[in-house]
Amino acid sequence: MSRAKRHPRSNSNPSPNLQPAGTPRYRYRVRFAKTGLLRWISHRDLANLWERIGRRAELPFSMTEGFNPKPRMQFPSALSLGVESLDEVLDLELCEDWPAEQLLLKLQTDDQPGLTINSVSRVDLADGKSQLAAMNYSVSLPDGFDDEESSRTVDAINLIKQQATVSIERKGKTVTAHVETQLPILDLQPDKLIARIVVGDGASLKIQDVLDLLGLSDWPERGATIVRTGMNLKGEPEHS
């Protein structure tokens, strides 16, 4: 008995998320804070959370092409697990032209614990994807911090500032940063350590790298909280 010939799958039932060619795209920049227990979710989980928030808000997402369309969203910088942030950036695209104020109100009504929507603005698609320029950090002092450790920390900071470059090993590769231009702010204040990291052409320092260079690797284990207080994008006015 001969077998019936198999016919290729019909494309008569495309994905419900498939958008016609030429569907307009409008890009919005969302600045938000990620604090509290939310700092313990991964970057991938954060992206999934934003997709769910958008679905609940019934946003008319612009979708990617291909077999499995996804909402067009981009984070210029992934936040390390356990680090809080007062100023994160998400670029998302809609297929409808909404006023930025309308999108802000829609997102704020979700009231996700640990997620605070600071602002929404329209950005031009012609500007391309957002690129990280610099990050500001604040690290609270750890448990047991005393005058002796304060003195050692100040000495370590001064030693770094006297060097032209600093280097760390990451995944078998050496990451080198110019202190004057890529670590322009590094200071111990009465209640915290502050740092500004400027992104270079290649791999850049992370805040944990800075702690390692200072001999402060154990601070997070001793209760210190790392907070990204500001994020600057290329071509954008500086945010503190």
Side-chain angles (χ1 to χ4, degrees):
M1 182 180 295
S2 62
R3 294 184 178 179
K5 292 183 178 180
R6 294 185 177 181
H7 296 280
R9 290 185 177 180
S10 171
N11 291 324
S12 59
N13 294 313
S15 166
N17 291 326
L18 191 63
Q19 293 176 341
T23 299
R25 294 162 54 185
Y26 305 93
R27 183 174 294 165
Y28 299 83
R29 180 156 297 152
V30 182
R31 302 193 87 105
F32 65 97
K34 175 189 173 189
T35 58
L37 294 178
L38 203 62
R39 73 181 188 271
W40 296 111
I41 71 169
S42 68
H43 181 67
R44 176 175 293 183
D45 288 338
L46 178 64
N48 291 336
L49 173 63
W50 268 107
E51 184 173 344
R52 292 195 299 272
I53 290 173
R55 301 286 186 203
R56 290 194 292 265
E58 299 181 334
L59 301 185
F61 277 124
S62 172
M63 307 299 291
T64 60
E65 300 175 356
F67 181 75
N68 185 27
K70 301 285 289 182
R72 295 183 190 272
M73 298 190 299
Q74 182 228 347
F75 298 86
S77 175
L79 195 64
S80 300
L81 194 68
V83 177
E84 291 189 346
S85 178
L86 304 181
D87 184 33
E88 287 300 283
V89 172
L90 164 67
D91 282 356
L92 60 82
E93 294 182 18
L94 305 182
C95 61
E96 295 179 7
D97 186 2
W98 282 24
E101 296 79 6
Q102 179 184 356
L103 179 55
L104 175 63
L105 291 174
K106 272 284 190 180
L107 294 175
Q108 287 178 332
T109 56
D110 193 84
D111 199 23
Q112 173 69 38
L115 190 71
T116 303
I117 314 300
N118 296 326
S119 67
V120 174
S121 60
R122 274 285 295 273
V123 291
D124 196 334
L125 278 172
D127 292 339
K129 293 184 177 180
S130 57
Q131 298 181 51
L132 184 64
M135 302 162 286
N136 295 334
Y137 285 95
S138 170
V139 186
S140 65
L141 302 182
D143 297 336
F145 188 83
D146 55 20
D147 291 342
E148 182 179 350
E149 185 171 8
S150 174
S151 179
R152 290 198 308 268
T153 302
V154 171
D155 289 343
I157 290 173
N158 290 335
L159 183 60
I160 285 180
K161 289 182 176 180
Q162 293 169 11
Q163 301 178 59
T165 63
V166 290
S167 299
I168 58 99
E169 294 294 323
R170 185 189 300 152
K171 297 181 179 180
K173 296 183 179 180
T174 301
V175 177
T176 300
H178 294 271
V179 174
E180 184 176 1
T181 57
Q182 292 179 264
L183 195 57
I185 297 176
L186 184 60
D187 185 39
L188 180 65
Q189 298 186 346
D191 59 343
K192 61 189 173 184
L193 176 77
I194 61 170
R196 178 172 175 82
I197 300 173
V198 176
V199 176
D201 293 333
S204 299
L205 293 176
K206 298 180 179 180
I207 186 59
Q208 187 60 51
D209 298 330
V210 176
L211 294 179
D212 294 344
L213 288 167
L214 292 171
L216 310 176
S217 304
D218 65 340
W219 273 26
E221 299 173 5
R222 293 167 53 198
T225 300
I226 302 174
V227 181
R228 183 148 69 185
T229 58
M231 182 159 37
N232 305 138
L233 304 179
K234 292 183 179 179
E236 196 178 54
E238 182 174 321
H239 291 254
S240 60

